[in-house]
Amino acid sequence: MWRLNKVRHKAGGHANSLEELRTKRREKERALRQARRDRQLVSKRLLLNEDEEQDTMEVAPGEQDVVTLFQILQHGGTEKEAFLRPLSKALRNPSAQLTFIKLENSMHLLVGLLTGSDARCRLQAVRCLHELSHSPHTSVASACLPATPYLLTYLSGQSTKFTELCLYTLGNICPDSERVKERLLAQGIIPALAGCIQNHRHNLAVVEAAGFALFQLLQSNDAAQKVIPTVLASSLPSQLLSVLTPDPDFGLAPAIECAWCLHSLTSSSEDHRELLAQGALRQCCSLLVSLGGAVADGNTDQGLELLVCPLLRCVGNLLSPCPAEALHSQLGGVDLVAPLCELVVALLHTLPALAKETAWVLNNLTAHSTESCSALLTLNLVPRLLELLPFSQGINTMVLRVLANVAHKKKEFCVRLAELGLLSALTATLKMADQNVVTLSLEVLFMIIVSCPQMAEQFVSQGGLSVLEAIQYNSDGEVRRRATYLLEQHILTEK
């Protein structure tokens, strides 16, 4: 799922401890991204120093406090790098972080080392800033502001290690303070990220880090007003879309980060013309179909679900405002209907929340596309949808909405739905305790019977009359009125 052979962990020492560290990191990052799938989660990332165990002055945090190290560094000398290493380790302690930023000229010292001529000291200085950025204390982010112009400038550099640290540091401090976020915007973080991805487009480790930093920037209440317009006007959308081609050797992580950025763009703005013009719907659909096929074939890669989720949301959001007449060209020939149905079934038992989101996309697709509704019928996919109606957690309500879309389009579609067993399925859903399911079932039944009055007799023959009569005693007044209207105006009149 992750860049297991790329992300820098502690190296040296014992193979077992290294593998344990990797496993713990994988589990933690998986948990964070899993949480992001369920809600928009702002999380921080910490890149561990790969050569910590080789430090000649290795000191456990707390054994030599930051005050002493700061004083040594402040008094100069040629071995500053050797003291910066234990300082970065000591700064993992939250109380040490607060102590450090309260020291007079402490940040001035770090910025001086960050901008100095010694490349090794620059690297260790940015590590210290990175440790500070991971602080749980929001005041630490504001203290890092003097360094941000230089961190942004260094994004145009060529060192992967250094650029990654700058990006994750910027991403970590973004959500801690509106003041920090506004300052970063004013300092040009968006064009800096665009330039970084462009310069490092073949370096997926940097692209992943840039995606993380951008996602953090997009997580604010006023992102739609202050951030997204600038992002859409930049080259970032096209660059994000270009990353939606996972590298088999590198993994899914860069694509996951960029997909979540696109999700933020599509969910925080109503105007998707720019994204549609750049082929966002086609690109997301194409990758979604490929991933859906892998899931349907039994691929259990844990990273797949974390990429499928933002792609589903992107496609669903982009479908809603897309003009019906432009849908075919926007999809670029990608057939979504069958893959979406397969994906719902494949995810049903293992990831029901994603199954529901998949059904939601199918709902958006069929809502304004007669071709998609026709495909459900001609490909004989309706029976598979009917099999999903017993499942709760919102899946059956979404499936009923899809069936309602089909019934709404044409009289011929209503006839075909009835032939495929919809009426008997509705007699079952009308008995369910979920009022939303009952209400939607009544709406679908109403469309079927109004379009084809002869279907009323068929519905009655399948036990539908007693079901509707029972609903007249339902506790929900609106449900009772709908059932009574159907009975009196359309069912009993046809007997």
Side-chain angles (χ1 to χ4, degrees):
M1 171 180 170
W2 308 117
R3 294 182 291 118
L4 300 185
N5 58 336
K6 304 286 185 178
V7 176
R8 294 174 180 77
H9 306 286
K10 288 185 178 180
H14 307 286
N16 289 340
S17 62
L18 178 60
E19 186 57 36
E20 287 176 9
L21 182 62
R22 286 178 170 172
T23 301
K24 288 179 180 178
R25 179 185 170 91
R26 288 168 61 193
E27 290 174 353
K28 182 178 179 180
E29 290 195 342
R30 172 172 164 73
L32 286 171
R33 282 179 172 162
Q34 192 98 25
R36 185 195 291 178
R37 191 196 73 189
D38 299 327
R39 63 190 186 281
Q40 293 207 339
L41 175 74
V42 174
S43 59
K44 295 191 175 189
R45 305 280 174 83
L46 180 65
L47 290 187
L48 298 179
N49 189 351
E50 63 184 356
D51 53 7
E52 281 178 356
E53 294 184 1
Q54 300 167 8
D55 288 349
T56 58
M57 294 185 59
E58 183 169 356
V59 180
E63 291 183 13
Q64 186 174 5
D65 72 26
V66 294
V67 177
T68 303
L69 289 167
F70 168 69
Q71 290 171 344
I72 294 172
L73 289 165
Q74 197 175 34
H75 286 95
T78 58
E79 299 299 323
K80 289 186 176 181
E81 180 199 3
F83 292 97
L84 281 167
R85 289 173 179 270
L87 176 61
S88 67
K89 280 194 72 175
L91 287 174
R92 289 195 189 151
N93 186 312
S95 61
Q97 294 163 352
L98 291 176
T99 300
F100 182 79
I101 66 171
K102 290 175 183 177
L103 293 171
E104 187 176 359
N105 293 324
S106 59
M107 296 308 297
H108 179 75
L109 172 71
L110 277 186
V111 171
L113 293 168
L114 178 67
T115 57
S117 58
D118 190 323
R120 293 176 302 172
C121 282
R122 285 202 302 269
L123 179 60
Q124 295 307 319
V126 81
R127 285 199 184 282
C128 290
L129 287 165
H130 183 58
E131 296 291 347
L132 287 170
S133 75
H134 200 254
S135 174
H137 304 292
T138 56
S139 59
V140 177
S142 296
C144 293
L145 274 175
T148 55
Y150 306 103
L151 294 175
L152 291 171
T153 300
Y154 286 136
L155 296 187
S156 59
Q158 297 303 311
S159 168
T160 297
K161 181 189 300 184
F162 195 83
T163 306
E164 270 192 284
L165 281 166
C166 290
L167 286 165
Y168 282 115
T169 301
L170 289 165
N172 284 343
I173 66 174
C174 272
D176 279 345
S177 164
E178 286 303 314
R179 175 170 169 254
V180 171
K181 192 170 293 186
E182 289 177 5
R183 184 74 67 84
L184 288 172
L185 288 170
Q187 291 171 348
I189 186 172
I190 291 175
L193 289 174
C196 180
I197 295 178
Q198 176 62 31
N199 294 336
H200 294 272
R201 58 189 177 276
H202 301 302
N203 188 333
L204 294 179
V206 174
V207 171
E208 178 188 355
F212 166 77
L214 178 59
F215 178 82
Q216 298 286 81
L217 190 65
L218 290 168
Q219 304 314 299
S220 63
N221 295 330
D222 56 0
Q225 294 77 37
K226 294 185 177 180
V227 184
I228 289 178
T230 310
V231 172
L232 291 175
S234 72
S235 60
L236 280 171
S238 61
Q239 291 168 339
L240 294 173
L241 289 168
S242 70
V243 183
L244 297 187
T245 49
D247 186 291
D249 298 323
F250 192 83
L252 301 174
I256 290 172
E257 293 296 343
C258 292
W260 279 107
C261 289
L262 288 167
H263 165 250
S264 295
L265 293 177
T266 61
S267 61
S268 302
S269 172
E270 296 292 331
D271 188 355
H272 300 319
R273 286 175 294 181
E274 288 289 337
L275 291 171
L276 289 171
Q278 295 185 48
L281 183 57
R282 178 172 59 255
Q283 183 74 10
C284 290
C285 287
S286 179
L287 179 54
L288 183 59
V289 168
S290 298
L291 294 175
V295 173
D297 290 340
N299 190 318
T300 57
D301 188 328
Q302 293 179 332
L304 284 180
E305 66 192 76
L306 299 177
L307 182 52
V308 167
C309 180
L311 286 173
L312 283 170
R313 294 179 183 180
C314 284
V315 171
N317 289 335
L318 290 169
L319 281 171
S320 297
C322 183
E325 61 275 10
L327 183 59
H328 183 74
S329 61
Q330 285 292 341
L331 289 174
V334 177
D335 177 24
L336 265 185
V337 178
L340 287 175
C341 289
E342 291 177 3
L343 193 55
V344 174
V345 174
L347 297 171
L348 188 61
H349 297 288
T350 55
L351 295 165
L354 275 190
K356 177 185 175 181
E357 297 214 30
T358 308
W360 168 70
V361 175
L362 187 59
N363 168 63
N364 286 5
L365 180 63
T366 54
H368 62 291
S369 170
T370 303
E371 288 184 5
S372 298
C373 294
S374 178
L376 280 173
L377 296 167
T378 55
L379 297 174
N380 200 33
L381 297 170
V382 171
R384 302 191 73 179
L385 293 180
L386 296 180
E387 292 173 0
L388 301 176
L389 290 177
F391 292 90
S392 57
Q393 301 187 52
I395 294 171
N396 47 14
T397 56
M398 278 299 166
V399 170
L400 283 167
R401 291 182 187 279
V402 172
L403 295 170
N405 291 337
V406 177
H408 179 71
K409 291 292 186 293
K410 289 183 178 181
K411 175 181 178 180
E412 292 81 1
F413 290 176
C414 290
V415 174
R416 185 69 183 128
L417 285 172
E419 291 173 349
L420 291 170
L422 177 58
L423 293 177
S424 60
L426 290 177
T427 60
T429 56
L430 285 168
K431 298 175 185 176
M432 291 184 178
D434 189 329
Q435 297 299 301
N436 288 330
V437 172
V438 175
T439 300
L440 284 167
S441 300
L442 288 170
E443 289 182 5
V444 175
L445 178 61
F446 176 79
M447 283 187 276
I448 296 285
I449 291 177
V450 168
S451 297
C452 313
Q454 64 272 24
M455 293 299 170
E457 185 177 344
Q458 186 176 335
F459 178 70
V460 170
S461 69
Q462 294 180 10
L465 180 60
S466 61
V467 174
L468 286 179
E469 288 175 339
I471 293 176
Q472 290 183 300
Y473 298 96
N474 192 288
S475 59
D476 188 304
E478 181 60 27
V479 170
R480 290 199 306 271
R481 284 189 291 273
R482 288 171 183 252
T484 300
Y485 181 82
L486 260 174
L487 275 170
E488 295 178 353
Q489 302 298 320
H490 297 283
I491 302 293
L492 298 178
T493 57
E494 295 296 324
K495 289 184 70 178

